[in-house]
Amino acid sequence: KLKHEIKDSRELIERLAARAKLDPLSEEFSQHLDKNDKLSHLREEFSIPKSSEVTLNGVVSLNPNEPSVYFCGNSLGLMPKRARILVNQELDVWAKSGVNGHFTHPHNRPWVSIDDTVVEKMAEVVGAKPIEIAVMNTLTSNLHLIMASFYTPKKHRNKILIEAKAFPSDQYAVESQIKFHGYDPATTLIKVNPPPGEYIINLNDILNIIEKEGSSIALVLFSGVHYYSGQFFKMKKITAAAKKKGCIVGFDLSHAAGNVVLKLHKWNVDFAVWCSYKYLNSGPGGIAGIFIHEKHAHDFNRPRFAGWWGSDRRSRFQMDKPFNPIPGAGGFQVSNPSVLNTISLLASLDVFAQTSMVQLRAKSILLTGYLDYLLDKQLNGLGYKNITPRDPHQRGCQISLMIDEDKLEKVINGLNSYGVVVDERTPDCIRVAPNPMYNSFSDVFRFVKALKIIMGNLGFKFETKK
Amino acid sequence: KLKHEIKDSRELIERLAARAKLDPLSEEFSQHLDKNDKLSHLREEFSIPKSSEVTLNGVVSLNPNEPSVYFCGNSLGLMPKRARILVNQELDVWAKSGVNGHFTHPHNRPWVSIDDTVVEKMAEVVGAKPIEIAVMNTLTSNLHLIMASFYTPKKHRNKILIEAKAFPSDQYAVESQIKFHGYDPATTLIKVNPPPGEYIINLNDILNIIEKEGSSIALVLFSGVHYYSGQFFKMKKITAAAKKKGCIVGFDLSHAAGNVVLKLHKWNVDFAVWCSYKYLNSGPGGIAGIFIHEKHAHDFNRPRFAGWWGSDRRSRFQMDKPFNPIPGAGGFQVSNPSVLNTISLLASLDVFAQTSMVQLRAKSILLTGYLDYLLDKQLNGLGYKNITPRDPHQRGCQISLMIDEDKLEKVINGLNSYGVVVDERTPDCIRVAPNPMYNSFSDVFRFVKALKIIMGNLGFKFETKK
Ligand SMILES: Cc1ncc(COP(=O)(O)O)c(C=O)c1O
Ligand SMILES: Cc1ncc(COP(=O)(O)O)c(C=O)c1O
């Protein structure tokens, strides 16, 4: 059904509506989709804010007790109810056992190996083997620690290739790493641009640069899913092309982990980093993940910023042993990890473990496809411009809408009064991310209905396209 | 009363007992000291595990409901009750507001500036100005990030000076940094040893090495308080000597922050790092602190591993701005910090704010002095050897006792059955750390009484020294 040939998921919506003998624009159809959603029970696992709880300016245009339409999981994922339980369990252990919690734990999660509770589940979500995964610190810190090992510029191979308009933190990180090694970002950092005036970067442009400049590129560092445009890059093809040229390939998966199906191991990615507070729902500033491909697991020749938590577990508490790195990603850990953050991530990964990324992604394609369809039909492209790829295989769940600068504030406030939370990127963009984990087709229906009213109030006149 | 001239706090105990007309070895005297302890109310702020909750092998030699004697705050500080309240408040905000918690917060702690809640209080504890402090990541990660800026070896100045037997993670960190820059730790890392067979490093030996080798030393990196021996190094003198030679001076304050009075700014320390889960009671793997001296606040010429959280706050969310470092320690932040960890640290710093390091330290000198006194008098040095300096100004609250290897396990198990938690360092050491924040003089009395019974059972025969 959700075949690879589908390049425009709007087709799919019409097919499904026809099969159900329903008007694809009707509220009934959204309810039909919810009824047939095999993952709808997962919503119960999350705390969904009420409309009244998310409206910021006191104006509520609907029943304040109605749940909000939370389309901002690309910025901060909602709280799994389980997080409260697990976090409080850890506080109990701390209160009752103090330091003993490191070794004796009533829930079998001794803190000394607390990361063991999440590694396998995390690996599952990103398509990795457990030996390739560690959780530690936060994203940008990890990017630096890993670049210390994997960005080792040489005279004739020192460049870094990234997408244009990468997230600022990544830009700052790579520029500072380049300077650290004595090179000039102006000549050493290559950015792949989208065509002028556009937002989507052509795969061919990426591959051409790799083909042409690959031998001077030390590191190809791309987003998995671009935070702004929502473009899901062809990670497998980019990796293959760059590996052919002998480059190291790393990805920032902040917007990809828990959003799209990843096969990091199979795709032969060298390393990846991601935060866990977006689609992985671990809470603000949650503990971050790293992936180091198994092929590097036993390579101890690279430089590496070492710490005791990356050293052989058996001798970790023997104080006169030299650094003896754990094979794999674990060997890149430096410090003992935060228990509260790790456990909060576990709460979310436990929900992921109830399903699979393949199932989530199947729902996601439909859910975002439905959003795309309704926007197109109901708003006729008036008042906004969808800059995200229409091809479901080139995007995750997020759709980014450009809005006239002078209308952005009104649109945001309007949506807010309808209990809708989207991400605002001043001066002219909203990012709308229906999360298959906890969002419903009715959420999408409500969002488009609200947006249409707001745009109507702003003077746009719509005809329903058929 | 607690004069600087006191080189052996045992004197002080006898003076106080004489004044109270009590036998310094009596239980009554311990109660007298508790009654006169102006900080005793702070104990109420913490969750003190019961004896039955900390005994691991089922043997309880006393009322299981009695509070434990928790002398392990040097490993993991106890939980401030306030931590549970604050953490649950943040979970509530997450549950009810989702991403809005970053900007609108019912308790005026918007997540976007959550670190603001702790910076001033943290600065107070370590004797710094707020501009010199940031909280981020974990200790060893921070050490690496800061060494990237402050360990910049040159041909004729590339060495690192540390104390012998520094904590392994610090050793791994400096060795890996040295290798990273292409030098050989065997020749580039200088370790200051204690005299043969001893544990305390002579200040003069440190100063002599700095005097002789200073011009080739890039970085002097010492503990504030040594994790094993408990020695409180003369930070001011070490810093002054090293600065005179043009070295950068950094400290690992894991065992010093919240334990001893620090004046990082005044002493002219260049940088410091510490964890917060020991004397700062922030919970396992809590968020770590960094200090960067104000004199470096506006120096943007050093290399630095940059991230968006260290960039000017006003432009943080403007996506096309170049890195514009925040002056001071804040500019070394890379990622948005963990809210749960920051708030858990705040809970503890709120307790610190009820007193001062000077007051805590005054109690601490008395409390550890009392421990030292009772051990000496009651156990006559039989069965253990105290390797920590007797001079209260050369130690924090911790006393480290060497125990015969074949008796260590029995001593630990014995103490455990009396509800005493101390830190075990196999093969032959226990570290005993009465924390002035939540430990009482009665705790000390109970500990020594239990230890005497255990040692007695192991065949030692004591006479009470008068
Ligand atoms: C003196 C010292 N340095 C460093 C560390 C390592 O800390 P982390 O695991 O937070 O990096 C510790 C941990 O106990 C320590 O005691
Ligand atoms: C794509 C991307 N990279 C990096 C970051 C920075 O993450 P952190 O603050 O956790 O380092 C973000 C944060 O939103 C992001 O979206």
Side-chain angles (χ1 to χ4, degrees), chain B residues 331-348:
Chain B
F332 288 81
Q333 294 171 97
V334 284
S335 297
N336 77 99
S338 157
V339 167
L340 294 185
N341 284 346
T342 306
I343 220 64
S344 177
L345 174 59
L346 174 61
S348 170

Side-chain angles (χ1 to χ4, degrees), chain A residues 308-381:
Chain A
W308 71 320
W309 222 253
S311 197
D312 179 46
R313 286 182 170 201
R314 279 152 304 177
S315 55
R316 209 182 251 167
F317 293 94
Q318 287 163 26
M319 296 289 144
D320 48 359
K321 291 283 163 37
F323 181 61
N324 181 9
I326 299 168
F332 288 81
Q333 294 171 98
V334 284
S335 297
N336 79 97
S338 157
V339 167
L340 294 185
N341 285 346
T342 305
I343 221 64
S344 177
L345 174 59
L346 174 61
S348 171
L349 292 177
D350 281 345
V351 185
F352 276 90
Q354 292 183 38
T355 175
S356 69
M357 279 313 301
V358 169
Q359 284 186 289
L360 277 167
R361 178 68 169 143
K363 172 174 172 186
S364 181
I365 286 179
L366 204 54
L367 192 65
T368 296
Y370 182 54
L371 169 62
D372 196 356
Y373 180 84
L374 285 188
L375 279 173
D376 202 45
K377 294 288 176 184
Q378 295 282 22
L379 281 92
N380 315 157

Side-chain angles (χ1 to χ4, degrees), chain A residues 335, chain B residues 118 122 133-143 273-277 280 282 285-290 341 345:
Chain A
S335 297
Chain B
V118 292
M122 190 74 258
I133 298 292
V135 296
M136 53 195 259
N137 297 316
T138 45
L139 189 156
T140 309
S141 307
N142 291 341
L143 184 54
V273 290
W274 56 94
C275 58
S276 64
Y277 43 82
L280 297 177
S282 80
I287 198 161
I290 67 166
N341 284 346
L345 174 59

Side-chain angles (χ1 to χ4, degrees), chain A residues 47-49 53-54 56 70 72 75-80 83-84 87-88 91-92 94-100 102 104 111 137-141 144-145 148 167-169 171-173 176-177 180-181 227 277 281-285 303-308 311 318-319 321-323 334-341 344 421 425, chain B residues 47-49 53-54 56 70 72 75-80 83-84 87-88 91-92 94-100 102 104 111 137-141 144-145 148 167-169 171-173 176-177 180-181 227 277 281-285 303-308 311 318-319 321-323 334-341 344 421 425:
Chain A
S47 293
I48 314 283
E53 287 168 337
V54 298
L56 297 171
Y70 192 82
C72 212
S75 183
L76 185 79
L78 289 180
M79 186 179 90
R84 194 190 291 272
V87 165
N88 277 287
L91 293 174
D92 279 342
W94 183 17
K96 293 186 182 171
S97 316
V99 71
N100 290 347
H102 281 98
T104 321
W111 298 335
N137 297 316
T138 45
L139 189 156
T140 309
S141 307
H144 280 300
L145 292 173
F167 190 81
S169 205
Q171 293 192 46
Y172 301 160
S176 67
Q177 285 268 345
F180 187 86
H181 288 280
Y227 83 98
Y277 43 80
N281 315 308
S282 80
R304 113 158 51 179
F305 285 162
W308 71 320
S311 197
Q318 287 163 26
M319 296 289 144
K321 291 283 163 37
F323 181 61
V334 284
S335 297
N336 79 97
S338 157
V339 167
L340 294 185
N341 285 346
S344 177
V421 184
R425 290 279 141 175
Chain B
S47 293
I48 314 282
E53 288 168 336
V54 299
L56 296 171
Y70 192 83
C72 214
S75 183
L76 185 80
L78 288 180
M79 186 179 90
R84 194 191 291 274
V87 165
N88 276 287
L91 294 174
D92 279 342
W94 183 17
K96 292 186 182 171
S97 316
V99 71
N100 290 347
H102 281 98
T104 320
W111 298 335
N137 297 316
T138 45
L139 189 156
T140 309
S141 307
H144 280 300
L145 292 173
F167 191 81
S169 205
Q171 293 193 46
Y172 301 160
S176 66
Q177 286 268 347
F180 187 84
H181 288 281
Y227 82 98
Y277 43 82
N281 315 309
S282 80
R304 112 158 50 180
F305 285 162
W308 71 320
S311 197
Q318 286 163 28
M319 296 291 143
K321 291 283 162 36
F323 181 61
V334 284
S335 297
N336 77 99
S338 157
V339 167
L340 294 185
N341 284 346
S344 177
V421 185
R425 292 278 142 176

Side-chain angles (χ1 to χ4, degrees), chain A residues 129-423:
Chain A
K129 300 189 177 183
I131 196 176
E132 298 172 321
I133 298 292
V135 296
M136 54 196 259
N137 297 316
T138 45
L139 189 156
T140 309
S141 307
N142 291 341
L143 184 54
H144 280 300
L145 292 173
I146 294 182
M147 284 180 80
S149 294
F150 285 93
Y151 175 55
T152 51
K154 302 279 175 306
K155 195 167 171 217
H156 297 291
R157 189 193 277 275
N158 52 47
K159 293 182 182 160
I160 298 182
L161 181 73
I162 59 170
E163 78 268 20
K165 308 210 175 200
F167 190 81
S169 205
D170 300 52
Q171 293 192 46
Y172 301 160
V174 296
E175 280 169 14
S176 67
Q177 285 268 345
I178 286 170
K179 284 192 219 159
F180 187 86
H181 288 280
Y183 297 96
D184 177 5
T187 51
T188 308
L189 186 57
I190 319 177
K191 297 182 180 178
V192 194
N193 281 294
E198 295 185 21
Y199 294 90
I200 305 310
I201 300 175
N202 288 325
L203 176 64
N204 278 340
D205 290 343
I206 303 169
L207 299 181
N208 284 341
I209 295 184
I210 294 174
E211 180 60 32
K212 249 192 285 178
E213 312 221 31
S215 66
S216 70
I217 295 173
L219 172 65
V220 173
L221 183 71
F222 256 71
S223 308
V225 172
H226 192 272
Y227 83 98
Y228 191 87
S229 70
Q231 179 175 12
F232 179 17
F233 292 107
K234 294 288 178 195
M235 294 174 59
K236 184 179 166 182
K237 288 189 177 151
I238 293 169
T239 305
K243 291 315 297 174
K244 223 172 96 189
K245 289 289 179 176
C247 318
I248 289 286
V249 183
F251 283 95
D252 174 345
L253 301 177
S254 297
H255 288 263
N259 178 14
V260 292
V261 176
L262 298 167
K263 296 182 177 166
L264 297 182
H265 176 81
K266 211 164 143 194
W267 294 340
N268 197 23
V269 168
D270 288 297
F271 74 82
V273 291
W274 57 94
C275 58
S276 65
Y277 43 80
K278 298 178 187 292
Y279 299 107
L280 297 176
N281 315 308
S282 80
I287 198 162
I290 68 165
F291 165 91
I292 308 281
H293 197 282
E294 190 179 28
K295 68 190 166 184
H296 302 295
H298 293 271
D299 174 6
F300 305 120
N301 292 320
R302 290 188 172 276
R304 113 158 51 179
F305 285 162
W308 71 320
W309 222 253
S311 197
D312 179 46
R313 286 182 170 201
R314 279 152 304 177
S315 55
R316 209 182 251 167
F317 293 94
Q318 287 163 26
M319 296 289 144
D320 48 359
K321 291 283 163 37
F323 181 61
N324 181 9
I326 299 168
F332 288 81
Q333 294 171 98
V334 284
S335 297
N336 79 97
S338 157
V339 167
L340 294 185
N341 285 346
T342 305
I343 221 64
S344 177
L345 174 59
L346 174 61
S348 171
L349 292 177
D350 281 345
V351 185
F352 276 90
Q354 292 183 38
T355 175
S356 69
M357 279 313 301
V358 169
Q359 284 186 289
L360 277 167
R361 178 68 169 143
K363 172 174 172 186
S364 181
I365 286 179
L366 204 54
L367 192 65
T368 296
Y370 182 54
L371 169 62
D372 196 356
Y373 180 84
L374 285 188
L375 279 173
D376 202 45
K377 294 288 176 184
Q378 295 282 22
L379 281 92
N380 315 157
L382 291 180
Y384 73 93
K385 183 175 180 243
N386 177 350
I387 64 165
T388 303
R390 305 315 276 268
D391 173 3
H393 305 291
Q394 288 191 59
R395 72 181 174 208
C397 69
Q398 170 186 323
I399 289 184
S400 305
L401 305 178
M402 304 295 288
I403 310 268
D404 287 348
E405 279 193 37
D406 61 327
K407 302 200 173 65
L408 184 72
E409 220 37 49
K410 289 188 184 122
V411 170
I412 287 285
N413 290 341
L415 286 171
N416 191 247
S417 78
Y418 281 96
V420 175
V421 184
V422 294
D423 180 86

